[in-house]
């Protein structure tokens, strides 16, 4: 059976449609990061792609639907990666280090940047805001689970797991605000140093 698009017509080339969808999400993420959600328009996103608004509306009904999809693509993928890390064998500390590295790398991902720079989406209705927050909360709960394992193993000191998880997330996202490609440190150097510093803040010192 042929796939049906939003306008009710058959999709002749699903592969092309999916590629176009990825391009729309990338363009939208760039515009949302630069202008903010409320100021951004569908016209801005179409201009970023160099296409007409009709191309966007062929795949997305509204700006709200589009921003939810950009965040689902980025935050949803992050949840899947963290879930895989949580399920790995090995110590909690090793898995927390892997989780922090993955999280810090997101600060350099153009598609993820709008999620980092726009932590609260003013202008979304409750339904769409709840969809966004449900994805983010899944990530937070997974990280909290990992931190609790580290405390139980005796390798970490965490007084408030929720506060620690939120602090780690925001710290890892910091480079998205200030990093410059022509700066003194490379992307990998920043990730390495940031992860080491954050692990030190959580680790029990053995005398």
């Amino acid at each position: 059976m042929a796939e049906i698009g939003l306008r009710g017509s058959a999709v002749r080339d699903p592969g092309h449609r999916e590629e176009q969808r990825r391009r729309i999400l990338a363009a939208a993420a760039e515009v949302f990061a630069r202008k903010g959600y409320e100021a951004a328009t569908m016209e801005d996103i179409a201009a970023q792609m160099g296409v007409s608004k009709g191309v966007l509306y062929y795949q997305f009904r509204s700006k709200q639907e589009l921003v939810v999809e950009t965040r689902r693509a980025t935050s949803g993928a992050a949840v899947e990666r963290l879930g895989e890390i949580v399920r790995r064998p090995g110590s909690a500390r090793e898995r927390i280090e892997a989780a922090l590295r993955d999280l810090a790398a997101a600060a350099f991902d153009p598609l993820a940047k709008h999620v980092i720079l726009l932590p609260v989406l003013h202008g979304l209705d409750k339904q769409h805001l709840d969809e966004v927050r449900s994805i983010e909360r899944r990530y937070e709960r997974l990280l909290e689970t990992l931190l609790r394992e580290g405390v139980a193993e005796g390798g970490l000191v965490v007084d408030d797991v929720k506060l620690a998880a939120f602090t780690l997330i925001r710290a890892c996202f910091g480079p998205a605000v200030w990093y410059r490609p022509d700066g003194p440190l490379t992307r990998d150097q920043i990730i390495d140093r940031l992860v080491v510093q954050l692990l030190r803040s959580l680790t029990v010192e053995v005398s």
Side-chain angles (χ1 to χ4, degrees):
M1 181 179 294
E3 183 180 352
I4 304 300
L6 289 180
R7 296 179 182 272
S9 58
V11 177
R12 295 182 179 179
D13 186 348
H16 172 72
R17 181 174 185 269
E18 185 57 33
E19 173 59 26
Q20 187 179 70
R21 185 180 181 86
R22 285 194 292 267
R23 290 181 58 227
I24 292 172
L25 293 178
E30 172 67 27
V31 172
F32 290 142
R34 186 174 68 249
K35 300 192 67 172
Y37 170 71
E38 290 183 287
T41 66
M42 295 294 264
E43 289 87 348
D44 294 329
I45 297 167
Q48 178 73 22
M49 286 185 68
V51 298
S52 69
K53 279 195 306 180
V55 172
L56 274 59
Y57 284 114
Y58 183 74
Q59 305 235 28
F60 299 96
R61 293 180 178 87
S62 66
K63 185 175 73 166
Q64 292 202 56
E65 182 178 294
L66 182 50
V67 78
V68 169
E69 286 302 313
T70 62
R71 296 178 83 94
R72 180 178 289 122
T74 54
S75 299
V79 168
E80 292 180 5
R81 294 194 305 272
L82 182 57
E84 187 276 325
I85 291 171
V86 170
R87 294 188 294 270
R88 287 179 190 173
S91 71
R93 189 186 185 285
E94 291 171 341
R95 286 176 286 140
I96 289 170
E97 179 176 356
L100 291 177
R101 286 190 176 279
D102 182 77
L103 190 58
F108 301 89
D109 179 359
L111 189 59
K113 194 170 184 179
H114 82 290
V115 176
I116 297 169
L117 298 179
L118 305 173
V120 177
L121 287 173
H122 300 291
L124 280 186
D125 61 30
K126 185 177 185 303
Q127 177 185 343
H128 287 93
L129 185 59
D130 286 348
E131 288 183 53
V132 170
R133 284 299 296 143
S134 68
I135 299 170
E136 295 172 348
R137 288 192 183 105
R138 286 170 58 201
Y139 189 96
E140 292 162 6
R141 286 194 294 268
L142 282 170
L143 187 56
E144 289 166 15
T145 296
L146 204 47
L147 290 171
R148 289 190 184 96
E149 288 187 34
V151 172
E153 285 184 359
L156 301 183
V157 174
V158 178
D159 294 327
D160 186 320
V161 169
K162 287 184 179 294
L163 178 60
F166 180 78
T167 301
L168 291 171
I169 291 169
R170 298 316 303 171
C172 286
F173 284 170
V177 177
W178 51 260
Y179 171 71
R180 296 292 180 272
D182 59 350
L185 297 176
T186 67
R187 168 191 179 277
D188 290 342
Q189 287 173 326
I190 290 171
I191 292 173
D192 287 343
R193 296 184 187 190
L194 181 57
V195 170
V196 167
Q197 186 64 47
L198 291 175
L199 284 174
R200 284 177 181 168
S201 72
L202 298 170
T203 304
V204 175
E205 293 187 6
V206 180
S207 58

